[in-house]
Amino acid sequence: AQSVTQLGSHVSVSEGALVLLRCNYSSSVPPYLFWYVQYPNQGLQLLLKYTSAATLVKGINGFEAEFKKSETSFHLTKPSAHMSDAAEYFCAVDTGGFKTIFGAGTRLFVKA
Amino acid sequence: DTGVSQDPRHKITKRGQNVTFRCDPISEHNRLYWYRQTLGQGPEFLTYFQNEAQLEKSRLLSDRFSAERPKGSFSTLEIQRTEQGDSAMYLCASSLEGTGTYEQYFGPGTRLTVT
């Protein structure tokens, strides 16, 4: 069965600092992997997706993630945090069916 | 393309009442999903439609929950005899089969509060 673990329910960074949000997955078949962002009282917006093409995936708003099969990881990074990046971030896995499994989320705080 | 819409955005109801939520997916999308999200958690899968057929239901979806997608377009989620534990955000998403990326587009959600 697939599962997703997001390390750290809260991450705090200073504006301009590196953002690193960690995600590890478990899947018995090659997965599709996603990062979504959720702002308060809104739905989820797709940041980026891995679909077995390039292992380094670039998304919107300067975010990127690297798929590492040996580590079963798909960590999200952004070189320089902006105040507008403060939100909840969800990692998700899909093995090609209809069911997407989401992690518990990581809330990102950005300090001025 | 106006995106996925959900109605209402907020619903407050008394325990024991029935509620119904509506989801309008992106017009050409043939797959539609319902999720439930509680505070501090990621969305949990409830059910999935391909066109008008409901192909999978989670064990989270008790007998009090029913979902329909009568013409393969909009969908409704009904909760009968609501309980306080039903308080959550109910998210709808849609996708297009055949794109190969399984990317889902989410609506803004309906926040249910059961008092």
Side-chain angles (χ1 to χ4, degrees):
Chain A
Q2 311 97 284
S3 67
V4 175
T5 302
Q6 291 185 240
L7 299 175
S9 59
H10 297 84
V11 169
S12 182
V13 300
S14 297
E15 194 173 20
L18 171 72
V19 175
L20 171 61
L21 305 182
R22 299 177 188 273
C23 172
N24 288 88
Y25 70 92
S26 171
S27 175
S28 57
V29 299
Y32 297 101
L33 294 161
F34 306 86
W35 275 99
Y36 287 87
V37 62
Q38 186 177 35
Y39 296 98
N41 297 314
Q42 294 187 26
L44 279 69
Q45 179 185 6
L46 182 70
L47 274 178
L48 49 79
K49 60 190 177 190
Y50 167 76
T51 57
S52 75
T55 56
L56 182 63
V57 181
K58 293 188 185 299
I60 62 171
N61 301 338
F63 285 94
E64 61 181 38
E66 186 172 8
F67 172 69
K68 292 187 176 180
K69 184 178 179 181
S70 60
E71 298 177 8
T72 61
S73 69
F74 190 56
H75 301 332
L76 181 71
T77 61
K78 181 174 180 177
S80 177
H82 191 273
M83 297 296 287
S84 61
D85 295 327
E88 185 111 26
Y89 292 81
F90 294 95
C91 182
V93 62
D94 188 323
T95 54
F98 55 85
K99 194 171 179 178
T100 300
I101 305 299
F102 288 84
T106 297
R107 182 164 294 279
L108 176 66
F109 296 92
V110 181
K111 299 174 291 186
Chain B
D1 180 2
T2 57
V4 179
S5 62
Q6 293 186 246
D7 184 69
R9 293 292 307 275
H10 304 273
K11 178 72 176 178
I12 300 174
T13 191
K14 293 182 186 294
R15 187 177 55 180
Q17 297 295 304
N18 299 344
V19 295
T20 300
F21 309 142
R22 177 180 170 123
C23 171
D24 286 87
I26 293 172
S27 57
E28 65 269 26
H29 284 185
N30 56 352
R31 291 184 171 181
L32 187 146
Y33 315 78
W34 284 99
Y35 292 87
R36 182 172 69 185
Q37 185 180 22
T38 53
L39 280 175
Q41 297 297 319
E44 297 174 290
F45 171 82
L46 291 179
T47 190
Y48 150 71
F49 290 85
Q50 179 145 324
N51 300 312
E52 65 275 9
Q54 187 175 18
L55 298 186
E56 184 71 20
K57 290 171 60 172
S58 164
R59 279 174 285 183
L60 291 174
L61 217 63
S62 74
D63 291 345
R64 297 184 297 104
F65 287 71
S66 62
E68 294 182 343
R69 194 183 183 196
K71 298 182 180 179
S73 57
F74 74 92
S75 175
T76 58
L77 177 69
E78 181 184 14
I79 308 175
Q80 296 182 325
R81 304 181 304 282
T82 52
E83 302 172 357
Q84 287 188 321
D86 297 331
S87 295
M89 175 80 88
Y90 290 85
L91 293 165
C92 176
S94 68
S95 68
L96 181 61
E97 182 190 10
T99 58
T101 61
Y102 304 96
E103 176 179 337
Q104 296 180 26
Y105 294 80
F106 282 81
T110 294
R111 182 168 294 284
L112 173 66
T113 302
V114 182
T115 62

